[in-house]
Amino acid sequence: MDALSAGPKGVVLTERQRIAWLRLIRSDNIGPATFRDLINHFGSAEAALAALPELSARGGATRAIRIASEADAHRELEAARRFGARFVGIGEPDYPQALKQIGGAPPLLAVKGALAAAKRPAVGIVGSRNASIAGAKFAAMVARDCGRAGYTVVSGLARGIDTSAHRASLDTGTIAALAGGLDQPYPPENIGLLEEITGGNGLAVSEMPFGWEPRARDFPRRNRLIAGIGLGLVVIEAAARSGSLITARLAGEFGRLVFAVPGSPLDPRCHGTNGLLKDGASIVTAPADVIEALAPLAQFDLFPSSMAEEPAPDGKAMSVPPGDSDRNRIIDALGPTPVEIDDVIRHTGLSASAVYLILLELDISGRLHRHQGGLVSLSD
């Protein structure tokens, strides 16, 4: 446990950088992957913001792109301060170390509570909202023992298994990942639990703006945070089609250990977990199964610090923008089927810098769709 609990290092953003980062991630058509590519290409969020209108126009946008203003950013920062929260940038010391290593990690997280919870190794625990008494009791056992072993427990504040996991780890430290803004927790009956978490040894995190009410499509984002923050994920009672299985799939894609608790084949709440076991998840019949499997990972610094400083432009930068013929060649090569960017480069014969810049143009204009694993396709 020593390496990860010793205290991660990083570089703190300046207030000017933080405002620019917040403006950029809150602008139209800018997701985490696009944010990263813009920073890499232009060297800073301020330079990227200045380039957005031209990039969008070259990509074929039919209307001007909405760019978050400085006033917008200041208002959100002030809302966070009033709420007792703040924004942490990727690479800063208080950003969860495991999360920053996943593809599409949020550039900024809104956080409230005990930041120490984000600096310890973590384990995710998720499962059925309609949990059985036995399932809820076992979730509490796993959370309590993992907490005593030095792990922060991360879950999604949902009813059932999530609630049991959070409550059992209030003393040792728990992280609640929210689908909406920090000031819009869901479900309403867990508002009191969230206050206990943030008022004690726990932490609430969200990548969504303040005031954002969670919608169905926002919960997979929340699941991504749970899967990315933990070294492993424990699934307890999950139906065949459930958000917990989405979290498990993401955890597997991120290279995390996936654990599942077996259940009765006659209980629909266990169909998903039993399916995970068939697909190779590690079986859990006691909290020690999780602690022993995670121990080797927690002994080493698997996630070396990355810098929050904005880099100098890399080799992708171009002094002269690509021409229409190059742009059309890439558009003709793309379609609704996701493809790897390296395949686009090979197929078109264009330089990597030209391909990356044209894809950025299409992305910012709303014509490109990014998929898990770095794949891209043309939007419908």
Side-chain angles (χ1 to χ4, degrees):
M1 199 74 57
D2 293 343
L4 283 177
S5 59
K9 299 178 181 179
V11 175
V12 177
L13 292 170
T14 67
E15 191 66 10
R16 180 170 177 172
Q17 285 177 318
R18 203 177 307 276
I19 290 170
W21 279 38
L22 187 56
R23 289 183 62 199
L24 187 58
I25 196 61
R26 297 294 189 243
S27 296
D28 279 353
N29 301 330
I30 308 297
T34 309
F35 182 101
R36 178 201 62 215
D37 288 349
L38 284 167
I39 296 291
N40 286 341
H41 185 84
F42 291 101
S44 73
E46 285 187 297
L49 286 164
L52 287 183
E54 183 180 354
L55 290 172
S56 179
R58 292 206 309 256
T62 56
R63 60 182 178 83
I65 185 173
R66 184 196 64 82
I67 300 173
S69 67
E70 283 195 37
D72 293 334
H74 280 292
R75 276 193 292 270
E76 190 166 0
L77 287 171
E78 179 57 30
R81 277 191 284 267
R82 288 198 305 269
F83 194 70
R86 67 187 185 90
F87 290 94
V88 176
I90 190 169
E92 290 193 288
D94 294 327
Y95 194 95
Q97 295 299 295
L99 180 63
K100 70 181 181 181
Q101 302 297 327
I102 72 169
L108 285 172
L109 277 179
V111 300
K112 180 181 180 180
L115 291 168
K119 298 181 182 181
R120 293 191 298 271
V123 58
I125 301 177
V126 297
S128 174
R129 289 175 171 82
N130 182 31
S132 69
I133 294 174
K137 184 176 181 179
F138 190 74
M141 288 173 56
V142 174
R144 190 175 297 111
D145 285 10
C146 284
R148 290 169 177 168
Y151 295 91
T152 294
V153 171
V154 56
S155 197
L157 201 68
R159 304 176 184 94
I161 297 299
D162 290 23
T163 296
S164 295
H166 285 308
R167 287 204 177 279
S169 53
L170 283 172
D171 290 339
T172 54
T174 184
I175 295 176
L178 274 58
L182 286 185
D183 56 344
Q184 297 291 329
Y186 181 87
E189 59 260 38
N190 274 350
I191 291 176
L193 173 59
L194 182 63
E195 290 173 350
E196 288 186 70
I197 291 171
T198 58
N201 296 322
L203 186 69
V205 302
S206 173
E207 62 181 300
M208 303 307 288
F210 274 81
W212 186 275
E213 295 185 10
R215 300 164 295 180
R217 67 181 187 183
D218 297 321
F219 286 90
R221 284 175 176 255
R222 186 274 312 268
N223 297 345
R224 192 174 97 261
L225 294 179
I226 297 170
I229 292 173
L231 297 177
L233 178 77
V234 184
V235 185
I236 303 171
E237 293 188 344
R241 294 180 179 274
S242 68
S244 297
L245 297 187
I246 294 175
T247 312
R249 175 180 57 79
L250 291 169
E253 292 175 354
F254 298 156
R256 308 307 195 238
L257 296 181
V258 178
F259 305 90
V261 177
S264 170
L266 301 179
D267 188 343
R269 289 172 295 199
C270 300
H271 290 176
T273 45
N274 290 342
L276 289 174
L277 292 170
K278 289 180 180 179
D279 292 338
S282 298
I283 189 170
V284 175
T285 58
D289 297 333
V290 178
I291 296 168
E292 291 171 6
L294 291 178
L297 302 181
Q299 295 299 325
F300 302 100
D301 188 0
L302 301 178
F303 308 107
S305 294
S306 63
M307 306 299 272
E309 292 177 314
E310 296 177 336
D314 64 12
K316 298 177 188 175
M318 299 181 68
S319 56
V320 179
D324 288 339
S325 61
D326 292 342
R327 195 170 293 105
N328 290 334
R329 193 184 308 179
I330 289 179
I331 291 172
D332 290 342
L334 294 173
T337 302
V339 296
E340 295 183 0
I341 295 177
D342 285 348
D343 289 337
V344 178
I345 296 170
R346 283 190 290 267
H347 180 82
T348 61
L350 297 173
S351 68
S353 57
V355 171
Y356 275 102
L357 184 53
I358 292 170
L359 292 179
L360 261 180
E361 294 172 354
L362 295 173
D363 193 2
I364 292 166
S365 66
R367 300 176 65 189
L368 191 77
H369 184 62
R370 293 181 182 265
H371 303 266
Q372 190 70 31
L375 305 179
V376 296
S377 67
L378 280 183
S379 297
D380 296 335

PDB file of all heavy atoms in Angstrom, residues 243-255:
ATOM      1  N   GLY A 243     -26.669  -1.165 -15.504  1.00  0.00           N
ATOM      2  CA  GLY A 243     -25.543  -0.246 -15.543  1.00  0.00           C
ATOM      3  C   GLY A 243     -24.292  -0.818 -14.924  1.00  0.00           C
ATOM      4  O   GLY A 243     -23.172  -0.448 -15.292  1.00  0.00           O
ATOM      5  N   SER A 244     -24.476  -1.746 -13.969  1.00  0.00           N
ATOM      6  CA  SER A 244     -23.311  -2.367 -13.330  1.00  0.00           C
ATOM      7  C   SER A 244     -22.477  -3.143 -14.340  1.00  0.00           C
ATOM      8  O   SER A 244     -21.241  -3.186 -14.241  1.00  0.00           O
ATOM      9  CB  SER A 244     -23.762  -3.294 -12.204  1.00  0.00           C
ATOM     10  OG  SER A 244     -24.421  -2.574 -11.193  1.00  0.00           O
ATOM     11  N   LEU A 245     -23.127  -3.750 -15.322  1.00  0.00           N
ATOM     12  CA  LEU A 245     -22.385  -4.488 -16.343  1.00  0.00           C
ATOM     13  C   LEU A 245     -21.646  -3.532 -17.277  1.00  0.00           C
ATOM     14  O   LEU A 245     -20.575  -3.868 -17.792  1.00  0.00           O
ATOM     15  CB  LEU A 245     -23.331  -5.394 -17.133  1.00  0.00           C
ATOM     16  CG  LEU A 245     -24.017  -6.506 -16.335  1.00  0.00           C
ATOM     17  CD1 LEU A 245     -24.779  -7.437 -17.273  1.00  0.00           C
ATOM     18  CD2 LEU A 245     -23.013  -7.282 -15.497  1.00  0.00           C
ATOM     19  N   ILE A 246     -22.212  -2.349 -17.497  1.00  0.00           N
ATOM     20  CA  ILE A 246     -21.486  -1.327 -18.265  1.00  0.00           C
ATOM     21  C   ILE A 246     -20.222  -0.934 -17.509  1.00  0.00           C
ATOM     22  O   ILE A 246     -19.135  -0.824 -18.089  1.00  0.00           O
ATOM     23  CB  ILE A 246     -22.379  -0.090 -18.493  1.00  0.00           C
ATOM     24  CG1 ILE A 246     -23.566  -0.445 -19.391  1.00  0.00           C
ATOM     25  CG2 ILE A 246     -21.561   1.056 -19.112  1.00  0.00           C
ATOM     26  CD1 ILE A 246     -24.564   0.690 -19.560  1.00  0.00           C
ATOM     27  N   THR A 247     -20.348  -0.736 -16.206  1.00  0.00           N
ATOM     28  CA  THR A 247     -19.184  -0.400 -15.386  1.00  0.00           C
ATOM     29  C   THR A 247     -18.145  -1.513 -15.434  1.00  0.00           C
ATOM     30  O   THR A 247     -16.939  -1.252 -15.542  1.00  0.00           O
ATOM     31  CB  THR A 247     -19.606  -0.142 -13.928  1.00  0.00           C
ATOM     32  OG1 THR A 247     -20.722   0.745 -13.900  1.00  0.00           O
ATOM     33  CG2 THR A 247     -18.463   0.469 -13.138  1.00  0.00           C
ATOM     34  N   ALA A 248     -18.600  -2.767 -15.381  1.00  0.00           N
ATOM     35  CA  ALA A 248     -17.682  -3.899 -15.440  1.00  0.00           C
ATOM     36  C   ALA A 248     -16.967  -3.967 -16.782  1.00  0.00           C
ATOM     37  O   ALA A 248     -15.765  -4.241 -16.838  1.00  0.00           O
ATOM     38  CB  ALA A 248     -18.444  -5.200 -15.175  1.00  0.00           C
ATOM     39  N   ARG A 249     -17.704  -3.709 -17.858  1.00  0.00           N
ATOM     40  CA  ARG A 249     -17.065  -3.721 -19.180  1.00  0.00           C
ATOM     41  C   ARG A 249     -15.992  -2.641 -19.270  1.00  0.00           C
ATOM     42  O   ARG A 249     -14.885  -2.881 -19.764  1.00  0.00           O
ATOM     43  CB  ARG A 249     -18.117  -3.511 -20.269  1.00  0.00           C
ATOM     44  CG  ARG A 249     -17.527  -3.390 -21.679  1.00  0.00           C
ATOM     45  CD  ARG A 249     -18.595  -3.185 -22.716  1.00  0.00           C
ATOM     46  NE  ARG A 249     -19.423  -2.028 -22.478  1.00  0.00           N
ATOM     47  CZ  ARG A 249     -19.061  -0.770 -22.766  1.00  0.00           C
ATOM     48  NH1 ARG A 249     -17.850  -0.518 -23.269  1.00  0.00           N
ATOM     49  NH2 ARG A 249     -19.883   0.234 -22.539  1.00  0.00           N
ATOM     50  N   LEU A 250     -16.316  -1.448 -18.780  1.00  0.00           N
ATOM     51  CA  LEU A 250     -15.344  -0.358 -18.804  1.00  0.00           C
ATOM     52  C   LEU A 250     -14.129  -0.696 -17.953  1.00  0.00           C
ATOM     53  O   LEU A 250     -12.986  -0.429 -18.352  1.00  0.00           O
ATOM     54  CB  LEU A 250     -15.998   0.930 -18.307  1.00  0.00           C
ATOM     55  CG  LEU A 250     -17.062   1.542 -19.222  1.00  0.00           C
ATOM     56  CD1 LEU A 250     -17.826   2.644 -18.498  1.00  0.00           C
ATOM     57  CD2 LEU A 250     -16.421   2.086 -20.493  1.00  0.00           C
ATOM     58  N   ALA A 251     -14.361  -1.269 -16.783  1.00  0.00           N
ATOM     59  CA  ALA A 251     -13.246  -1.644 -15.914  1.00  0.00           C
ATOM     60  C   ALA A 251     -12.315  -2.622 -16.627  1.00  0.00           C
ATOM     61  O   ALA A 251     -11.085  -2.504 -16.545  1.00  0.00           O
ATOM     62  CB  ALA A 251     -13.763  -2.255 -14.613  1.00  0.00           C
ATOM     63  N   GLY A 252     -12.886  -3.590 -17.327  1.00  0.00           N
ATOM     64  CA  GLY A 252     -12.064  -4.531 -18.085  1.00  0.00           C
ATOM     65  C   GLY A 252     -11.270  -3.839 -19.172  1.00  0.00           C
ATOM     66  O   GLY A 252     -10.087  -4.143 -19.381  1.00  0.00           O
ATOM     67  N   GLU A 253     -11.903  -2.890 -19.875  1.00  0.00           N
ATOM     68  CA  GLU A 253     -11.207  -2.154 -20.929  1.00  0.00           C
ATOM     69  C   GLU A 253     -10.085  -1.294 -20.366  1.00  0.00           C
ATOM     70  O   GLU A 253      -9.078  -1.057 -21.048  1.00  0.00           O
ATOM     71  CB  GLU A 253     -12.201  -1.283 -21.703  1.00  0.00           C
ATOM     72  CG  GLU A 253     -13.192  -2.088 -22.536  1.00  0.00           C
ATOM     73  CD  GLU A 253     -14.251  -1.216 -23.193  1.00  0.00           C
ATOM     74  OE1 GLU A 253     -14.276   0.007 -22.910  1.00  0.00           O
ATOM     75  OE2 GLU A 253     -15.050  -1.758 -23.977  1.00  0.00           O
ATOM     76  N   PHE A 254     -10.242  -0.835 -19.139  1.00  0.00           N
ATOM     77  CA  PHE A 254      -9.212  -0.012 -18.506  1.00  0.00           C
ATOM     78  C   PHE A 254      -8.107  -0.855 -17.873  1.00  0.00           C
ATOM     79  O   PHE A 254      -7.176  -0.309 -17.277  1.00  0.00           O
ATOM     80  CB  PHE A 254      -9.823   0.879 -17.417  1.00  0.00           C
ATOM     81  CG  PHE A 254     -10.844   1.868 -17.922  1.00  0.00           C
ATOM     82  CD1 PHE A 254     -11.815   2.380 -17.069  1.00  0.00           C
ATOM     83  CD2 PHE A 254     -10.836   2.285 -19.244  1.00  0.00           C
ATOM     84  CE1 PHE A 254     -12.750   3.292 -17.522  1.00  0.00           C
ATOM     85  CE2 PHE A 254     -11.776   3.197 -19.716  1.00  0.00           C
ATOM     86  CZ  PHE A 254     -12.737   3.701 -18.849  1.00  0.00           C
ATOM     87  N   GLY A 255      -8.220  -2.173 -17.973  1.00  0.00           N
ATOM     88  CA  GLY A 255      -7.204  -3.046 -17.391  1.00  0.00           C
ATOM     89  C   GLY A 255      -7.349  -3.252 -15.903  1.00  0.00           C
ATOM     90  O   GLY A 255      -6.404  -3.669 -15.223  1.00  0.00           O
TER      91      GLY A 255
END
